[in-house]
């Protein structure tokens, strides 16, 4: 089975046209799968990367075609209907569901004075006696995606987005893939109905790791953690959400029926404590404050910690703690009188773009980078910000000399938010990425359907430098002492023209480098020697094949146990590897089919890069081959073994593990609290086994 493709609208239309005239189940299935992947892809571009490769009109047409296909072939519809819309953009299949209690918003305040006004208003409304204080619960205002999760008799039955506040989208399957959200509440006496509300987030470090993967694979970066979290929940395919380490915090409720439970909370603090007891993630920075002075202290105290938190926040939420008083205070228009958001000043500053440089990456991508007058934002001095590509430059109309508003998105990456058009100097010109590579002068082209302009010269010096930096990096060949500076010098001197030249370095060659003493020369030679003992997955990853990140390299290494076999792999064989689709297979063939590339890999082996014949898995020795030829997926929590241990166990017995269930999966190893993978396995007729059964199989 091949992976789904991203299709141009024209192809969708012509394939659909054929299906209108002659019916073919197989072709309809293939088109359905491709179309869903195409809609997912454009949703990611739109929601997570803040850019669209196609117009709204084209997206709508894709969508209409999907609807028509569903109508023509209802039997292959996969329980999806293609109607809902969010934020102006159609989102194919999500069902719309009304919230039983509307999900309202908070009014915002921006200063201590405004927070005090809120306190005064609430006291006045409640007619409190002079000198009586309101007790507040303060907590971070999480910058994520608001959701509602419904538990009936303790079982998760539905997950909804906020939508327009009255009606949300049914994203249950995606919510179920989030590990921190329990499918079953941890209590023997669950409330008959519990509607909890909270925020889905992607932690800063997970966002950074996701973007690092994008860089490794030569792909575009995600814009920020919030968009990425939101976008992940709004995909048709739950496997996308499952592949992202999303987290959640719960802080509110819709309808709750406390009948049957041990305790009915009287204040918000107790309510959140109960949620925690049920196994739902709640924020541990929530604090009870005796009066508004303490609230203001909390507001400033948390602002100091803001940078260091694991997740993004944009302020605090102040809530009257007593649930009875909350009820008395009620709502005004669309926000509660009992709560208010106290926002932090956005960490944004203005500076000037002094020039726009073009950087050339290892895939040849020409990336425009704004070099700005250095400025501090959120405690860090920023000078450079990527402008991504020509489409992004055009969208914001960024020019040299422009004053721009910048902010630090996600963890550290600075981002240009907008151009201050009033401050634009006269005679400024729109910026165009050149049609030639600024480093080697070769032609640079922007392929149709791609956002990126690329240098076409595979021997370009800039590409070589970046490829070498990747080759020696920690997760690739791990040549510790060969830093970026040294690589640039080696290339500039003409000593390193290829990967294998690194293993041809000797004392004499190294001594040509400036400031290179005996000790550092020895250290460098030692670290190059050390790197020769490697693994096939690191070696494949190091070669920098487009779309082959660490995970893909690992799968390839398992399937083609040595360099020769890998180089000989046909497209068909590659497509048989789990998680390798057509795009990746084609890219691999393009590399391995290239004589220079294959010669280089073999030369490296000759020069001593040593890949042990044994597959190296989890740092342990392989025990036997009893699971060879089988692909396993693990789901749920296993009794007495972590997932990583189970993975190692399978691999140490010659089996292959994969993170998603497909037709190629032979067994699903299933523990308790299994979610969507179990359903998918049942749908596909994949054999489901327990950990004990797995152990028994491995003893044979
Ligand atoms: S309580 C009636 N608590 O902020 C609304 N909201 O601007 C009560 N938010 O829609 C909401 N962190 O999506 C509450 N600790 C927190 C929050 C929080 C983030 C979001 C929520 C809400 C929006 C209002």
């Amino acid at each position: 089975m091949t992976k789904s493709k991203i299709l141009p609208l024209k192809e969708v239309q012509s394939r659909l046209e054929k299906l209108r005239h002659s019916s073919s189940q197989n072709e309809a299935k293939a088109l359905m799968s491709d179309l869903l992947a195409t809609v997912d892809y454009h949703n990611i571009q739109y929601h997570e990367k803040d850019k669209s490769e196609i117009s709204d009109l084209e997206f709508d047409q894709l969508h209409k075609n999907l609807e028509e296909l569903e109508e023509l072939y209802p039997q292959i519809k996969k329980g999806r209907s293609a109607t809902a819309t969010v934020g102006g953009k159609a989102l194919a299949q999500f069902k719309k569901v009304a919230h039983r209690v509307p999900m309202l918003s908070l009014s915002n305040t921006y200063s201590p004075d405004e927070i005090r006004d809120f306190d005064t208003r609430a006291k006045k409304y409640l007619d409190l006696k002079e000198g009586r204080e309101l007790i507040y619960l303060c907590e971070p205002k999480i910058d994520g995606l608001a959701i509602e999760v419904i538990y009936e008799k303790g079982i998760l039955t539905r997950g909804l987005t906020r939508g327009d506040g009255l009606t949300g989208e049914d994203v249950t399957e995606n919510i179920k893939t989030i590990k921190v959200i329990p499918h079953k509440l941890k209590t023997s006496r669950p409330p008959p109905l519990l509607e909890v509300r909270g925020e889905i987030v992607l932690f800063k470090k997970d966002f950074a790791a996701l973007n690092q993967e994008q860089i490794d694979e030569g792909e575009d970066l995600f814009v920020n953690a919030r968009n990425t979290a939101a976008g992940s929940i709004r995909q048709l395919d739950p496997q996308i959400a499952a592949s992202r380490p999303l987290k959640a915090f719960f802080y509110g409720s819709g309808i709750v029926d406390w009948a049957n439970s041990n305790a009915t909370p009287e204040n918000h603090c107790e309510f959140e404590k109960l949620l925690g007891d049920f196994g739902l993630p709640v924020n541990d920075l929530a604090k009870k404050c005796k009066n508004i002075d303490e609230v203001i202290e909390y507001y400033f105290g948390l602002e100091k910690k803001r940078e260091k938190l694991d997740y993004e926040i944009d302020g605090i939420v102040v809530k009257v703690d007593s649930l009875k008083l909350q009820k008395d205070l009620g709502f005004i228009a669309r926000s509660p009188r009992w709560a208010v958001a106290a926002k932090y000043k956005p960490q944004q500053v203005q500076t000037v773009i002094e020039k726009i440089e073009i950087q050339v990456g290892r895939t040849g991508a020409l990336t425009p980078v704004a070099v700005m007058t250095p400025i501090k934002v959120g405690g860090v001095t920023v000078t450079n910000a990527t402008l991504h590509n020509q489409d992004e430059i055009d969208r914001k109309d960024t020019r040299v000399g422009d004053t721009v508003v910048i902010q630090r998105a996600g963890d550290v990456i600075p981002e240009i938010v907008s151009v201050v058009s009033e401050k634009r100097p006269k005679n400024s010109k729109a910026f165009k990425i050149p049609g030639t590579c600024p480093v080697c002068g070769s032609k640079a082209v922007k392929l149709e359907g791609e956002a990126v302009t690329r240098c076409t010269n595979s021997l370009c010096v800039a590409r070589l430098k970046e490829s070498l930096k990747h080759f020696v990096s920690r997760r690739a060949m791990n040549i510790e002492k060969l830093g970026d500076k040294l690589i640039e010098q080696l290339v500039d001197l003409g000593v390193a023209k290829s990967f294998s030249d690194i293993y041809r370095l000797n004392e004499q060659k190294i001594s040509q480098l400036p400031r290179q003493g005996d000790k550092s020369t020895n250290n460098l030679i030692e670290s190059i020697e050390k790197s020769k003992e490697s693994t096939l997955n690191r070696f494949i990853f190091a070669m920098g094949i487009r779309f082959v990140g660490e995970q893909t390299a690992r799968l390839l290494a398992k399937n083609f146990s040595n360099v020769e076999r890998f180089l000989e792999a046909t497209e068909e064989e590659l497509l048989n590897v789990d998680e390798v689709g057509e795009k990746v297979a084609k890219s691999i063939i393009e590399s391995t089919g290239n004589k220079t590339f294959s010669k280089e890999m073999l030369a490296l082996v000759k020069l001593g890069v040593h890949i042990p014949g044994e597959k190296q898995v989890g740092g342990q020795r392989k025990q036997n081959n009893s699971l060879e030829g089988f692909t396993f997926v693990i789901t749920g929590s296993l009794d007495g073994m972590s997932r990583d241990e189970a993975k190692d166990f399978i691999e140490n017995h010659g089996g292959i593990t994969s993170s998603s269930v497909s037709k190629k999966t032979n067994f699903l190893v299933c523990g308790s609290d299994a979610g969507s993978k179990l359903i998918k396995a049942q749908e596909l007729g994949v054999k489901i086994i327990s950990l004990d059964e797995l152990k028994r199989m491995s003893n044979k």
Side-chain angles (χ1 to χ4, degrees):
M1 192 185 81
T2 56
K3 280 260 173 83
S4 314
K5 282 182 287 191
I6 313 302
L7 303 177
L9 177 62
K10 272 204 178 122
E11 185 177 336
V12 172
Q13 287 171 334
S14 75
R15 283 171 64 180
L16 184 61
E17 177 61 20
K18 280 186 202 141
L19 284 168
R20 284 187 192 118
H21 301 296
S22 63
S23 156
S24 155
Q25 283 281 338
N26 282 348
E27 166 56 9
K29 251 189 201 163
L31 181 58
M32 171 76 83
S33 151
D34 289 348
L35 244 175
L36 286 170
T38 305
V39 172
D40 270 343
Y41 172 78
H42 291 299
N43 268 326
I44 290 184
Q45 297 302 104
Y46 182 82
H47 288 291
E48 301 179 31
K49 294 184 179 159
D50 257 4
K51 66 176 192 197
S52 295
E53 287 174 14
I54 56 172
S55 66
D56 281 3
L57 186 71
E58 282 174 295
F59 187 89
D60 287 345
Q61 280 173 333
L62 279 175
H63 206 225
K64 285 219 172 75
N65 290 335
L66 179 58
E67 281 172 43
E68 186 181 336
L69 185 62
E70 284 183 357
E71 262 169 43
L72 283 171
Y73 293 84
Q75 61 279 31
I76 58 161
K77 202 170 138 184
K78 298 185 183 175
R80 291 169 164 179
S81 83
T83 44
T85 63
V86 168
K89 196 121 206 191
L91 277 179
Q93 92 288 23
F94 297 130
K95 208 169 53 188
K96 280 197 166 195
V97 177
H99 298 290
R100 273 180 273 224
V101 178
M103 284 179 83
L104 303 180
S105 57
L106 294 166
S107 51
N108 291 325
T109 59
Y110 293 93
S111 68
D113 282 351
E114 286 178 9
I115 303 175
R116 283 184 199 286
D117 288 348
F118 160 75
D119 178 57
T120 313
R121 274 198 310 272
K123 283 174 176 165
K124 197 165 162 212
Y125 192 86
L126 290 170
D127 210 10
L128 287 198
K129 281 211 190 82
E130 189 67 27
R132 270 204 59 194
E133 296 297 341
L134 279 169
I135 295 173
Y136 291 105
L137 185 275
C138 294
E139 57 187 7
K141 186 170 187 308
I142 314 286
D143 196 9
L145 173 80
I147 47 136
E148 172 167 80
V149 181
I150 302 175
Y151 289 88
E152 288 169 84
K153 297 189 191 136
I155 306 295
L156 193 167
T157 52
R158 189 166 259 177
L160 301 174
T161 62
R162 182 176 182 281
D164 63 2
L166 300 174
T167 306
E169 304 85 36
D170 184 337
V171 288
T172 313
E173 289 314 310
N174 287 345
I175 295 294
K176 279 186 178 167
T177 68
I178 301 176
K179 295 195 180 64
V180 297
I181 300 184
H183 290 197
K184 189 166 174 258
L185 296 179
K186 266 202 318 199
T187 170
S188 53
R189 300 174 68 185
L193 177 65
L194 172 70
E195 296 183 340
V196 276
R197 288 163 181 194
E199 213 81 2
I200 304 281
V201 288
L202 188 63
F203 276 17
K204 292 173 183 173
K205 70 166 182 358
D206 294 324
F207 174 69
L210 195 62
N211 262 348
Q212 185 57 48
E213 258 172 49
Q214 295 292 106
I215 292 170
D216 289 344
E217 292 174 15
E219 292 287 295
D220 294 338
L221 296 184
F222 292 103
V223 175
N224 61 41
R226 204 209 84 87
N227 279 16
T228 313
S232 310
I233 292 298
R234 289 164 163 171
Q235 300 309 320
L236 307 181
D237 181 355
Q239 291 195 16
I240 297 179
S243 73
R244 311 248 167 98
L246 298 168
K247 304 274 193 309
F249 292 112
F250 289 98
Y251 49 67
S253 60
I255 292 184
V256 190
D257 180 354
W258 291 112
N260 181 36
S261 69
N262 296 330
T264 307
E266 289 189 358
N267 55 50
H268 200 87
C269 211
E270 284 170 17
F271 168 70
E272 289 199 13
K273 160 104 188 17
L274 266 173
L275 294 187
D277 293 345
F278 288 160
L280 290 159
V282 285
N283 195 281
D284 59 359
L285 295 171
K287 187 175 179 277
K288 219 171 191 164
C289 293
K290 285 201 302 290
N291 54 43
I292 207 68
D293 287 334
E294 284 192 17
V295 169
I296 289 163
E297 211 175 289
Y298 178 89
Y299 173 72
F300 286 117
L302 191 65
E303 190 173 24
K304 287 208 187 90
K305 291 188 209 153
R306 183 181 181 185
E307 285 280 312
K308 294 207 180 72
L309 295 183
D310 291 336
Y311 42 87
E312 301 284 341
I313 64 169
D314 56 354
I316 64 166
V317 181
V318 185
K319 300 171 182 177
V320 169
D321 194 36
S322 154
L323 296 182
K324 162 153 191 325
L325 292 183
Q326 283 190 7
K327 211 165 165 214
D328 292 347
L329 281 159
F331 291 82
I332 180 163
R334 305 206 65 197
S335 18
R337 270 195 206 92
W338 48 265
V340 77
K343 304 259 277 195
Y344 293 129
K345 300 235 161 53
Q347 295 170 305
Q348 291 188 340
V349 287
Q350 291 190 6
T351 184
V352 174
I353 298 185
E354 295 179 350
K355 58 180 171 178
I356 296 177
E357 283 181 352
I358 302 289
Q359 285 178 0
V360 186
R362 74 183 156 86
T363 60
L366 266 47
T367 306
V369 177
V371 180
M372 301 166 295
T373 310
I375 184 127
K376 265 200 152 185
V377 46
V380 170
T381 304
V382 164
T383 44
N384 290 359
T386 175
L387 297 173
H388 301 285
N389 53 50
Q390 189 68 53
D391 295 345
E392 275 297 290
I393 293 181
D394 294 347
R395 194 168 68 86
K396 291 184 184 147
D397 190 19
T398 335
R399 303 179 181 195
V400 174
D402 270 350
T403 297
V404 285
V405 177
I406 59 166
Q407 68 182 18
R408 289 208 300 134
D411 207 0
V412 281
I413 307 161
E415 175 192 28
I416 293 182
V417 183
S418 58
V419 171
V420 186
S421 48
E422 310 88 78
K423 295 193 184 169
R424 169 166 287 169
K426 279 190 200 117
N427 309 327
S428 81
K429 275 202 233 98
F431 184 82
K432 285 276 169 263
I433 294 179
T436 54
C437 170
V439 178
C440 71
S442 304
K443 201 164 170 226
V445 292
K446 184 169 175 259
L447 294 180
E448 191 157 330
E450 276 202 31
V452 180
T453 308
R454 286 179 206 279
C455 164
T456 49
N457 170 15
S458 60
L459 301 173
C460 168
V461 167
R463 290 181 67 172
L464 177 62
K465 284 180 182 171
E466 294 310 309
S467 301
L468 283 166
K469 286 178 198 168
H470 170 78
F471 183 80
V472 306
S473 64
R474 196 170 49 82
R475 295 185 298 163
M477 297 309 284
N478 192 19
I479 311 184
E480 235 179 295
K481 301 287 176 207
L482 198 46
D484 290 0
K485 252 254 150 66
L486 278 183
I487 289 190
E488 304 214 348
Q489 290 169 344
L490 287 169
V491 174
D492 290 338
L493 283 168
V495 178
K497 294 200 183 76
S498 61
F499 296 148
S500 54
D501 281 346
I502 291 176
Y503 292 98
R504 294 190 187 97
L505 285 176
N506 53 29
E507 268 176 49
Q508 183 260 325
K509 284 183 186 168
I510 296 171
S511 66
Q512 295 175 34
L513 298 170
R515 286 185 299 281
Q516 199 64 27
D518 284 353
K519 188 148 182 253
S520 46
T521 304
N522 283 339
N523 285 344
L524 177 56
I525 290 179
E526 219 170 85
S527 108
I528 292 174
E529 275 306 306
K530 215 169 106 193
S531 77
K532 286 182 179 171
E533 282 306 319
S534 191
T535 54
L536 185 56
N537 42 330
R538 276 175 176 273
F539 190 23
I540 293 176
F541 174 60
M543 294 304 292
I545 302 166
R546 204 158 166 231
F547 307 124
V548 177
E550 265 182 304
Q551 168 67 3
T552 310
R554 219 170 279 139
L555 293 169
L556 291 167
K558 276 178 202 153
N559 278 273
F560 303 103
S561 50
N562 64 50
V563 176
E564 287 78 10
R565 285 212 48 217
F566 170 64
L567 289 174
E568 283 161 10
T570 61
E571 186 167 338
E572 207 178 356
E573 284 175 304
L574 288 167
L575 285 169
N576 267 326
V577 176
D578 214 0
E579 294 180 33
V580 171
E582 225 158 276
K583 182 175 86 169
V584 180
K586 282 219 157 70
S587 162
I588 298 170
I589 292 286
E590 205 173 293
S591 294
T592 52
N594 176 314
K595 275 226 170 74
T596 319
F597 181 96
S598 55
K599 266 194 186 160
E600 181 69 356
M601 257 189 126
L602 295 171
L604 283 159
V605 174
K606 266 207 177 131
L607 285 161
V609 172
H610 178 241
I611 308 300
E614 283 262 311
K615 293 176 205 170
Q616 291 211 330
V617 179
Q620 290 169 19
R621 287 196 55 77
K622 196 155 83 190
Q623 290 159 354
N624 65 38
N625 270 334
S626 49
L627 303 181
E628 194 166 306
F630 297 122
T631 300
F632 296 81
V633 173
I634 305 164
T635 189
S637 40
L638 304 172
D639 208 13
M641 220 189 238
S642 74
R643 281 200 205 195
D644 281 344
E645 283 166 349
K647 254 183 163 179
D648 282 352
F649 179 88
I650 291 167
E651 291 169 0
N652 289 333
H653 289 87
I656 293 172
T657 57
S658 163
S659 54
S660 54
V661 177
S662 73
K663 277 194 184 152
K664 287 177 215 155
T665 314
N666 299 103
F667 296 97
L668 180 78
V669 185
C670 187
S672 53
D673 287 335
S676 59
K677 283 184 194 161
L678 176 57
I679 298 168
K680 181 107 193 258
Q682 283 165 337
E683 275 172 11
L684 293 175
V686 170
K687 191 156 194 282
I688 296 156
I689 59 169
S690 66
L691 182 61
D692 281 344
E693 281 172 288
L694 174 75
K695 285 182 185 162
R696 256 177 266 138
M697 277 173 72
S698 67
N699 280 334
K700 273 182 199 152

